[in-house]
């Protein structure tokens, strides 16, 4: 049997964190078993579905690197097939037309609410009634006939065996009065037609599974394996909201989170592999299984995400990360980049990532390599360089450095230390002015590394400009 999973977002908003994790789990499960991962857009609610949301979902999945194996399925294009299945169920006597008025349905809901059974409010009044009794001018809905007694047990791959009494499962609508399918019917038909073997989704869909189970049986189809994943909460254990980070994945891309970071972090939200925290995509594909998915809600922690991103920044390929930084810098800067920006950035990026937690922080600290002198200076650097004694030290150092025959970190370190010793100065009193003059900041990577990356000419030019 070929494993087939699917991710089925509704295009009514951005791809949020919970949806991204569901997509990842489906993708990993399919890849682990050498199966297929299919993307289906559940756009039957045409009033709320938007092209912008569809585009955002596609962009988010692409950024995460979750490639699907077949053409995208749009649920709205299968409406004819959904209606066909509903007609067959009517013909087989497994569904019926219901002619209840809105007022009757409201009355049933209120009565069920009073009795504490609001989850199952419909009283089956048209289940066995002759359609000849239907009032004129009423377009009926189609309802499925559910079992009236007994229990239904779902053997869930995450939740275990879960049982509901059938009297809590009313005859739900599968076709609206305008002939359009409901979510419940469309999902079952599409999952069957695409041969989905496993339905992996949030546990807020667990109650739907019981109804869908009986719809599968009514159609005479095999029921797929269900796996309902606990939802994601905030770090404080409360329901996820925007203040916890319940935002679209595009927000995290804009913030400077790497896609490999997000894959790793989402994987560890509710799934574990021993004590492993950093897990590559290759390892995740090899190790992923549903047995290790927990039953308790996972907690989203922005600090942990940033710390993990810091790790991946240090592990990133310098050339690829430099390309990303350059792209952002070009988009956001009005000042032209140096002709040597790419070469310098690749040479110095390993130092820039040491203190950074996001790509944006790397971009912000990369100005010393992206632009030629004159630089812009922060307030502390300006204050330091305004001192006449500091000006003299920089001028002296520029003269000493211009006479060096070698330009490497050891040689530069030795020359600056010798100057400090000769003038009975602590190294910091020499290195700090150098840092300010060369970077425009009081904080930077190792100053000798910076000098090597900038090269002799640019280093001496910057020192000359700040010692005038």
């Amino acid at each position: 049997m070929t494993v087939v999973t699917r991710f089925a977002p509704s295009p009514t908003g951005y791809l949020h964190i919970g949806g991204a994790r569901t997509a990842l789990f489906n993708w990993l499960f399919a890849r682990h078993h050498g199966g297929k991962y299919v993307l289906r857009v559940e756009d039957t609610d045409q009033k709320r579905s938007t092209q912008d949301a569809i585009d955002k979902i596609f962009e988010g999945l692409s950024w995460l690197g979750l490639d699907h194996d077949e053409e995208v399925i749009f649920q709205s294009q299968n409406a004819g097939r959904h209606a066909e299945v509903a007609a067959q169920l009517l013909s087989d006597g497994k569904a019926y037309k219901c002619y209840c008025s809105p007022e009757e349905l409201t009355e049933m809901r209120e009565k069920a609410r009073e009795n504490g059974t609001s989850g199952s409010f419909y009283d089956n009044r048209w289940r066995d009634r002759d359609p000849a009794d239907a009032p004129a001018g009423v377009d009926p809905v189609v309802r499925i006939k559910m079992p009236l007694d007994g229990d239904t047990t779902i053997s869930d791959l995450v939740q275990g065996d879960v049982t509901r009494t059938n009297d809590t499962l009313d005859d739900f609508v599968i076709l609206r009065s305008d002939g359009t399918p409901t979510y419940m019917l469309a999902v079952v038909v599409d999952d069957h037609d695409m041969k989905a073997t496993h339905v992996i989704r949030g546990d807020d869909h667990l109650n739907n599974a019981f109804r869908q189970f009986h719809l599968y049986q009514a159609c005479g189809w095999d029921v797929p394996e269900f796996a309902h994943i606990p939802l994601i909460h905030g770090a404080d254990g409360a329901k996820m909201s925007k203040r916890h980070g319940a935002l679209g994945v595009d927000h995290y891309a804009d913030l400077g989170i790497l896609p490999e970071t997000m894959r790793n972090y989402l994987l560890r939200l509710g799934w574990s592999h021993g004590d492993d925290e950093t897990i590559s995509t290759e390892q995740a594909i090899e190790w992923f299984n549903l047995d290790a998915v927990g039953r308790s809600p996972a907690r989203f922690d922005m600090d942990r995400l940033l710390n993990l991103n810091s790790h991946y920044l240090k592990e990133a390929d310098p050339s690829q990360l430099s390309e990303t930084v350059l792209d952002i810098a070009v988009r956001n800067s009005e000042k032209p980049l140096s002709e040597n920006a790419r070469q310098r950035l690749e040479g110095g990026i390993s130092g820039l990532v040491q203190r950074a937690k996001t790509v944006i922080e790397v971009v912000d600290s990369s100005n010393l390599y992206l632009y030629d002198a004159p630089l812009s200076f922060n307030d502390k650097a300006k204050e330091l360089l305004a001192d006449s004694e500091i000006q003299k030290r920089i001028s002296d150092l520029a003269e000493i450095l211009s006479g060096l025959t070698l330009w490497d970190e050891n040689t530069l370190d030795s020359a600056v230390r010798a100057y400090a010793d000769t003038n009975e100065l602590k190294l910091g009193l020499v290195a700090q002015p150098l840092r300010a003059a060369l970077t425009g900041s009081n904080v930077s990577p190792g100053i000798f590394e910076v000098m090597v990356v900038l090269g002799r000419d640019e280093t001496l030019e910057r020192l000359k400009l700040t010692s005038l």
Side-chain angles (χ1 to χ4, degrees), residues 169-277:
L169 309 172
D170 56 6
D171 293 354
F172 59 90
V173 176
I174 59 174
L175 206 66
R176 300 184 185 92
S177 59
D178 62 0
T180 60
T182 62
Y183 162 81
M184 215 62 86
L185 175 66
V187 166
V188 168
V189 174
D190 288 346
D191 281 345
H192 169 74
D193 287 356
M194 61 180 278
K195 298 180 173 57
T197 60
H198 294 76
V199 174
I200 305 169
R201 57 191 179 183
D203 64 6
D204 52 332
H205 286 282
L206 183 56
N207 285 332
N208 291 335
F210 292 94
R211 293 174 170 81
Q212 291 164 4
F213 174 89
H214 288 290
L215 190 47
Y216 275 106
Q217 290 198 323
C219 292
W221 298 337
D222 291 336
V223 181
E225 298 277 6
F226 288 112
H228 289 90
I229 308 163
L231 301 183
I232 301 172
H233 287 179
D236 57 2
K239 185 177 179 181
M240 193 78 164
S241 65
K242 286 187 177 181
R243 69 184 176 88
H244 295 110
L247 304 165
V249 296
D250 56 322
H251 165 80
Y252 297 97
D254 292 342
L255 180 66
I257 302 298
L258 296 171
E260 51 267 41
T261 300
M262 187 57 80
R263 287 195 300 270
N264 189 156
Y265 186 72
L266 291 176
L267 174 66
R268 293 287 288 111
L269 281 179
W271 181 89
S272 61
H273 187 272
D275 296 326
D276 294 289
E277 290 290 337

Side-chain angles (χ1 to χ4, degrees), residues 29-322:
F29 191 80
R31 294 289 177 266
H32 176 79
H33 290 282
K36 292 195 301 184
Y37 161 75
V38 182
L39 176 60
R40 183 176 74 227
V41 177
E42 297 192 336
D43 59 341
T44 53
D45 187 346
Q46 291 292 296
K47 291 181 180 179
R48 296 179 62 219
S49 300
T50 67
Q51 186 60 48
D52 180 62
I54 292 173
D55 293 342
K56 285 285 197 302
I57 290 169
F58 289 173
E59 290 168 8
L61 293 172
S62 176
W63 177 73
L64 283 167
L66 305 183
D67 53 315
H68 48 275
D69 295 308
E70 297 180 348
E71 286 190 16
V72 178
I73 296 171
F74 288 88
Q75 197 168 63
S76 60
Q77 296 175 359
N78 297 335
R81 167 64 173 156
H82 303 148
E84 174 188 302
V85 171
Q88 186 62 53
L89 290 169
L90 277 171
S91 177
D92 293 343
K94 296 177 179 178
Y96 61 94
K97 293 180 180 180
C98 170
Y99 294 86
C100 285
S101 67
E103 292 76 18
E104 288 177 303
L105 293 172
T106 297
E107 182 182 346
M108 287 183 226
R109 287 191 184 92
E110 291 177 351
K111 184 176 180 180
R113 192 177 298 112
E114 291 172 2
N115 297 330
T117 58
S118 57
S120 175
F121 74 91
Y122 182 67
D123 62 9
N124 296 346
R125 66 181 58 181
W126 281 96
R127 181 175 176 123
D128 299 309
R129 193 170 173 180
D130 190 338
D133 297 337
V138 176
D139 294 323
V141 299
V142 176
R143 294 180 180 272
I144 187 73
K145 288 184 177 180
M146 295 288 281
L148 298 176
D149 51 30
D151 299 324
T152 299
T153 298
I154 299 290
S155 295
D156 192 271
L157 296 177
V158 172
Q159 304 293 333
D161 288 349
V162 185
T163 301
R164 296 281 188 276
T165 57
N166 290 334
D167 60 6
T168 63
L169 309 172
D170 56 6
D171 293 354
F172 59 90
V173 176
I174 59 174
L175 206 66
R176 300 184 185 92
S177 59
D178 62 0
T180 60
T182 62
Y183 162 81
M184 215 62 86
L185 175 66
V187 166
V188 168
V189 174
D190 288 346
D191 281 345
H192 169 74
D193 287 356
M194 61 180 278
K195 298 180 173 57
T197 60
H198 294 76
V199 174
I200 305 169
R201 57 191 179 183
D203 64 6
D204 52 332
H205 286 282
L206 183 56
N207 285 332
N208 291 335
F210 292 94
R211 293 174 170 81
Q212 291 164 4
F213 174 89
H214 288 290
L215 190 47
Y216 275 106
Q217 290 198 323
C219 292
W221 298 337
D222 291 336
V223 181
E225 298 277 6
F226 288 112
H228 289 90
I229 308 163
L231 301 183
I232 301 172
H233 287 179
D236 57 2
K239 185 177 179 181
M240 193 78 164
S241 65
K242 286 187 177 181
R243 69 184 176 88
H244 295 110
L247 304 165
V249 296
D250 56 322
H251 165 80
Y252 297 97
D254 292 342
L255 180 66
I257 302 298
L258 296 171
E260 51 267 41
T261 300
M262 187 57 80
R263 287 195 300 270
N264 189 156
Y265 186 72
L266 291 176
L267 174 66
R268 293 287 288 111
L269 281 179
W271 181 89
S272 61
H273 187 272
D275 296 326
D276 294 289
E277 290 290 337
T278 55
I279 301 173
S280 69
T281 301
E282 293 74 20
Q283 289 172 323
I285 291 172
E286 179 183 352
W287 296 342
F288 188 79
N289 60 69
L290 295 171
D291 295 339
V293 176
R295 297 184 185 181
S296 300
R299 295 194 178 193
F300 183 89
D301 188 325
M302 191 65 190
D303 288 338
R304 292 187 65 181
L305 175 62
L306 291 172
N307 287 335
L308 185 62
N309 200 55
S310 176
H311 164 80
Y312 276 100
L313 282 172
K314 294 180 180 67
E315 297 293 318
D317 176 82
S319 179
Q320 291 181 359
L321 183 57
S322 296

